[in-house]
Amino acid sequence: MTDCSDSECCSHPICAEHIMCLASNDPVEVLLRKQPPSVTASFYQRVKFLIEENSVQSYAHLDEYSER
């Protein structure tokens, strides 16, 4: 029996995609892979890396956010 809500079971193949076993990327690592935003970049442009695909928040959808 495997309980994917138990962190010890996250190494089991059945739990690999379970929401309780998904780990977020380190924001610093994500930032280091990208070119830094310009000094005049808006707030949205500076923090958008958090919600982009394969970034920190894997469950976020970029189309749900607006630059306003």
Side-chain angles (χ1 to χ4, degrees):
M1 187 169 217
T2 306
D3 179 10
C4 294
S5 295
D6 182 355
S7 62
E8 292 180 9
C9 293
C10 287
S11 60
H12 196 279
I14 293 174
C15 297
E17 297 295 319
H18 191 272
I19 190 74
M20 297 297 286
C21 294
L22 295 177
S24 296
N25 292 326
D26 182 10
V28 174
E29 289 179 18
V30 173
L31 279 173
L32 291 175
R33 286 184 273 155
K34 297 185 172 288
Q35 185 172 355
S38 69
V39 180
T40 59
S42 69
F43 174 78
Y44 177 80
Q45 291 168 331
R46 287 181 282 151
V47 298
K48 146 174 112 168
F49 77 93
L50 293 170
I51 57 173
E52 291 177 325
E53 191 172 325
N54 298 322
S55 190
V56 179
Q57 294 187 6
S58 58
Y59 53 85
H61 300 282
L62 193 57
D63 61 341
E64 294 176 346
Y65 297 89
S66 129
E67 288 195 44
R68 289 184 259 146

